[in-house]
Amino acid sequence: MDFGGGPRIGVALGGGSARGLTHIPYIEAMDELGLKPSVISGTSIGALIGAGWASGMSGKELRAHSFEVLGTLRTIAGKLWATQVRGIGGLLKNGISVQLDAMSIVDAFTPPHFPREFRDLKVPLYVVATDFQSWHQVVFNAGLLKPAIAGSLAIPSFFRPVVYENHILVDGGVVNPLPLDQADIDTDFLIGIDVAGDPSANLTKTDHKAIDIWFGSAQIMMHSLTAHMMAAYPPDIYIRPRVSQFGAMEFWRVREIIKHAEVEKERFKRILHTKVEDYIQNRIPVIDSNPD
């Protein structure tokens, strides 16, 4: 499909732990339309997947890699065992008992020959983390890539903070779970993919584990922060897949998570195709991109 002369597209990939794997079908959709972002921004898992995308990996390649490294709890445990983490099965299922090293996680789950620096990427990438000392967001788009990603996904208490570039970094979702502000830099068309979830799956549940309460509270905070960000930087397309039925750390359910998101892929392609065509023809109607 030829979109020659189309808009410069900025894509913001939000944080949401395992639920962030739902980013992949939307990346595949853009591939299938022949659309490439001009800018990618990411927080937490969005930074990790966004870095793979910015490095030149296709949506299909991201899917295949995710299946390879996250396909079973045993596979995940094996990789973490190799980085000297113990008791991972109980940690993922029952709660936080040890703190993980975020750099080891990035090393263990990124592909071989992963780019070393931001300048090695094929698409500009902005990675958002939180400076624990100043309480402000820190945005990386130059220098070493892996420490920036590690800082962005260092969920407080679950991961040890990452010390990098005179910052003590924790998860970017603490201050900016959907970094629309960064994807809006020098672009014409803004897409936000919000994977933090919604309360629908838990409205009748009462037997919450401690880790469910922790991550659920984080979701509420992220929802509020995203609402403010959207008011300041309204996206042309906003997508929020319903993923609350998946636990925040249930990465081994990668096939289920991606399959669940696939049902929205064709609708997203139609919306995106229409929006881009209308932009090219200077005819941009209001389209509800995420109806209830």
Side-chain angles (χ1 to χ4, degrees), residues 21 24 49 61-71 251 254-255 258:
L21 294 164
I24 292 173
I49 292 176
E61 288 169 335
L62 288 166
R63 177 192 291 248
H65 179 71
S66 298
F67 287 176
E68 178 184 347
V69 299
L70 299 172
F251 286 96
V254 55
R255 287 178 172 81
I258 290 178

Side-chain angles (χ1 to χ4, degrees), residues 114-128:
F114 194 73
R116 183 174 183 273
E117 298 189 32
F118 279 84
R119 66 183 179 185
D120 301 322
L121 298 172
K122 297 179 179 178
V123 178
L125 174 70
Y126 294 84
V127 170
V128 174

